[in-house]
Amino acid sequence: MRRGVARSARGLLALALLALLASIAGPSCAELPHVEGAGEAVCPELRGRGDVLGAQLSADARANAKVRTFVQAAKDMAAVSAVIEAQVAGACRRMGADLGIPPAQMAPRDEAGGQASGACGPVSAAIDAILLQGAGVGVTLRRPACEANGAQCSGSCNVQLAPGQIVAYCEPARLSGHCQGRCDGRCDGRCTGQCRGQCSAYDAQGRCVGQCDGECDGGCDATCHARCEGTWQAPQCSWVEWPPSGDAECEACCRAHAAVHAACTPTRVQVRVVQGGEMAARLAATLQANLPALLHAEVALGRRLLGDAQTVVQVGAALPRIVGDAGARALACVTGAAEASKSASARIQASVRASASVTGRIGLTDG
């Protein structure tokens, strides 16, 4: 039943969260800011800069792997969304100062991403006014390239399952281990009972008491494969290699965490005056100084993150149904992380729009 529920969600959750890219024009990944507020009241693990990937949030090992990687991805997204907003707002404020806009006109707005929208709105209006006076600038852009570090999340989806969980999750034909009871299958040791094959030794009653080259129906003093009519001791499962390779929810969030720690080449721009006088020169100068940070936040971080931010939100919406028996602490953290991811998504969208209100007024050419 659990595998069926998980598979039904995979069409949505298998989308790779590959777009959380760390800024090299602002804080390094190790310095990502802590974002207070969303979700922390119900999930303390969302506080501070600590790593959640080693947290024990549920007694169910598989649920714990899913929940902790989702919480880490939501926490990372909240931090990166703050970086995006701060970079956009900072670049626009510097441009506004260069263009003579009073700081009071660039005050934050009371809305998601309000620092960015408050700073960039007046700048876009000032650029419009300069261009209407006949000024013209052109920008050649070299976009950043980012490479995620998959080792950052290595092992976080691996789980140590209790014997009962292994038996519950594994397909019966793929179980093996010591059988306290009657083994019905291949026995790696001495078979005591009926051997459906060639037995190396028999007792006076004709029962097998040696190695069975075939299937044993009886006692087995070593590993029994496939079927045990009794209690498994130290069970193993060959049904699947345990996560990360087999768990879409955990893997998606793990890739998001790894992508936060991506190494990125810098955004490079070359600004030139196409026509105009002093105001065109002032505009070109401030664009040359501030466009790299603005475009990095908008393009390398924000635009690549928009779709993935929604995927994280959707993971948060689906996860309670998938790990519904994970325990109160795990479910509280899913709730808190879901709230944090929604806030982060709204902040990213608003910051991208604010940056685009400036960069969209300038001719950008890849070069």
Side-chain angles (χ1 to χ4, degrees), residues 136-141 270-275 280 284 287-288 363 365:
V137 295
V139 180
T140 301
L141 168 67
Q270 184 63 49
V271 184
R272 64 193 182 280
V273 175
V274 176
Q275 63 182 17
L287 290 174
Q288 184 65 58
T365 304

Side-chain angles (χ1 to χ4, degrees), residues 34-35 38-49 52 71-72 74-75 332-333 335-338 340:
H34 164 56
V35 181
E40 289 188 2
V42 295
C43 184
E45 283 74 14
L46 287 167
R47 298 188 187 123
R49 301 182 182 181
V52 188
V71 172
Q72 184 67 62
K75 184 176 181 178
C333 277
T335 299

Side-chain angles (χ1 to χ4, degrees), residues 27 31 55 71 99 142 146 148 166 196 223 236 266 271-272 319 337:
E31 299 167 341
V71 172
L99 297 176
R142 181 177 178 183
C146 300
I166 293 177
R196 293 188 288 271
T223 300
Q236 302 177 39
V271 184
R272 64 193 182 280
L319 210 52

Side-chain angles (χ1 to χ4, degrees), residues 67-234:
V67 173
R68 69 188 181 187
T69 48
F70 170 64
V71 172
Q72 184 67 62
K75 184 176 181 178
D76 290 340
M77 182 173 290
V80 172
S81 71
V83 170
I84 295 170
E85 182 179 13
Q87 283 195 350
V88 170
C92 281
R93 289 187 189 120
R94 292 190 297 272
M95 293 172 66
D98 291 342
L99 297 176
I101 301 173
Q105 293 184 19
M106 297 185 287
R109 298 174 182 172
D110 186 15
E111 59 188 23
Q115 292 189 54
S117 59
C120 294
V123 172
S124 64
I127 292 175
D128 279 343
I130 293 171
L131 296 178
L132 284 173
Q133 294 174 12
V137 295
V139 180
T140 301
L141 168 67
R142 181 177 178 183
R143 299 178 187 272
C146 300
E147 182 176 354
N149 181 4
Q152 290 286 339
C153 200
S154 177
S156 68
C157 291
N158 292 323
V159 296
Q160 298 296 324
L161 297 180
Q165 290 176 306
I166 293 177
V167 173
Y169 281 116
C170 191
E171 293 178 357
R174 303 298 182 90
L175 273 168
S176 64
H178 285 75
C179 177
Q180 187 176 2
R182 189 179 191 85
C183 177
D184 185 6
R186 183 166 60 86
C187 174
D188 289 347
R190 184 176 57 182
C191 173
T192 304
Q194 180 183 356
C195 174
R196 293 188 288 271
Q198 183 66 39
C199 180
S200 63
Y202 293 89
D203 64 9
Q205 285 75 41
R207 296 183 306 171
C208 179
V209 290
Q211 296 287 331
C212 176
D213 184 12
E215 291 192 345
C216 174
D217 183 1
C220 175
D221 65 1
T223 300
C224 173
H225 294 265
R227 295 176 295 280
C228 173
E229 296 178 10
T231 302
W232 285 105
Q233 301 294 316

Side-chain angles (χ1 to χ4, degrees), residues 2 55-68 156-162 165 169 243 247 250 323 326:
R2 294 180 185 177
Q56 187 68 36
L57 303 177
S58 173
D60 184 311
R62 297 195 72 174
N64 187 62
K66 294 174 188 287
V67 173
R68 69 188 181 187
S156 68
C157 291
N158 292 323
V159 296
Q160 298 296 324
L161 297 180
Q165 290 176 306
Y169 281 116
D247 194 318
C250 186
V323 296

